[in-house]
Amino acid sequence: MSLLLAVEPEIEKAAMAARARLGGRTPKIGLILGSGLGELAAAVEDAVAIPYDDLPGFPRLSVAGHAGRMIVGRFGRHDVAVLQGRQHLYESDRADSMAVPVGVLARLGCSTLVLTNAAGSLLPEVGPGGVMMIADHINLTGRNPLARALGDGRFVDMVDAYDPALRARFQALAKARGIDLAEGVYMWFTGPSFETPAEIRAARTLGADAVGMSTVPETILARALGMKVAAFSLITNLAAGMGGSHLSHARTLARAATGAAKLKDLLVAFMEDPA
Ligand code: HPA
């Protein structure tokens, strides 16, 4: 196989270190949980927890609400691998800071990657505590996790990056549970400062429905590695200048809890019966 990511040797090393602790578990679904959803991992049965510190090339995390552990175990009929926490561009100044974790999930056999984040909403009807499934994204940060990747595999098709069949499946699961699941376009901002009201007006003009500081690079990496992607934003606030209160990380975490219960229900239903 030709080398795609420059960090492929690190991915191999970390995958070997992980496999040595998995006791034959073979995860098919990977989840990367952002602010407010880390405790979903508690629902994984017969779980092995591996701290990122034990996995070469995994990031060191600095954000409250991101535990920094990989949990692998049984969920319904399948094994899953849950990454509790991510590193953001603003922590590392590297768009590919999640290349090793995403690569390890792929190497362990995960064919589907589910991503969650906390985000600000540009839709007045989807306020704090709401959940938006990502249908598409906008990346005008000028950064890309494949910037130093090699070969033709770096020219990744991003049409239907958020898998239409998975989205239909999640909408059906939400409907059956009476969960209101919005769907829209997520725009990636680098952070860590929140957006200005003028930036939010610009984002709306460009077609954004939610804004946040993560997820997009992981989606690009996962698509490059051939994984199907589904992604969800827990709406913690209306975006800057939309009449809400001032933004803070503490408020982000507090509000994430409300939507987290809904999203947790949905993810549990999906993992129990992904087909
Ligand atoms: N902007 C960017 N990231 C966020 C926001 C926001 O308004 N809320 C939670 N994460």
Side-chain angles (χ1 to χ4, degrees), residues 151-210:
D152 287 353
R154 71 187 124 173
F155 303 113
V156 182
D157 182 9
M158 292 300 291
V159 177
D160 289 338
Y162 300 90
D163 191 74
L166 283 178
R167 277 156 49 204
R169 174 87 188 123
F170 275 107
Q171 282 295 1
L173 290 170
K175 196 168 171 205
R177 277 155 191 78
I179 295 171
D180 219 353
L181 183 61
E183 205 166 328
V185 174
Y186 175 91
M187 186 162 179
W188 183 32
F189 280 81
T190 62
S193 55
F194 287 106
E195 301 74 29
T196 64
E199 285 163 349
I200 293 302
R201 287 194 296 277
R204 180 179 297 120
T205 303
L206 291 169
D209 299 307

Side-chain angles (χ1 to χ4, degrees), residues 3-188:
L3 204 67
L4 170 65
L5 302 173
V7 294
E8 223 126 316
E10 283 86 351
I11 291 172
E12 194 52 51
K13 262 190 248 160
M16 274 175 59
R19 250 192 231 108
R21 302 203 14 200
L22 291 189
R25 293 170 182 80
T26 52
K28 292 285 170 278
I29 301 172
L31 286 92
I32 301 181
L33 302 180
S35 302
L37 266 182
E39 85 280 10
L40 183 67
V44 178
E45 289 169 10
D46 186 27
V48 184
I50 310 173
Y52 288 1
D53 285 350
D54 294 353
L55 296 169
F58 269 55
R60 308 288 163 251
L61 308 185
S62 67
V63 182
H66 289 254
R69 291 187 308 174
M70 176 159 81
I71 314 281
V72 184
R74 193 96 193 140
F75 215 112
R77 291 182 286 121
H78 298 275
D79 286 343
V80 300
V82 181
L83 298 188
Q84 282 178 312
R86 57 163 56 90
Q87 191 174 56
H88 306 77
L89 177 68
Y90 61 74
E91 294 171 87
S92 61
D93 201 26
R94 291 185 54 162
D96 69 346
S97 66
M98 289 298 286
V100 173
V102 172
V104 165
L105 292 176
R107 197 64 59 95
L108 293 179
C110 294
S111 51
T112 297
L113 181 64
V114 178
L115 304 166
T116 78
N117 62 47
S121 174
L122 278 69
L123 304 172
E125 68 277 17
V126 186
V131 179
M132 188 190 91
M133 181 161 62
I134 300 179
D136 202 349
H137 75 225
I138 299 173
N139 173 19
L140 297 180
T141 60
R143 307 293 295 269
N144 193 294
L146 300 176
R148 289 187 308 279
L150 307 165
D152 287 353
R154 71 187 124 173
F155 303 113
V156 182
D157 182 9
M158 292 300 291
V159 177
D160 289 338
Y162 300 90
D163 191 74
L166 283 178
R167 277 156 49 204
R169 174 87 188 123
F170 275 107
Q171 282 295 1
L173 290 170
K175 196 168 171 205
R177 277 155 191 78
I179 295 171
D180 219 353
L181 183 61
E183 205 166 328
V185 174
Y186 175 91
M187 186 162 179
W188 183 32

Side-chain angles (χ1 to χ4, degrees), residues 118-120 194-195 211-213 236-237 247 252:
F194 287 106
E195 301 74 29
V211 292
M213 306 175 192
T236 55
N237 55 278
L247 305 181
T252 295

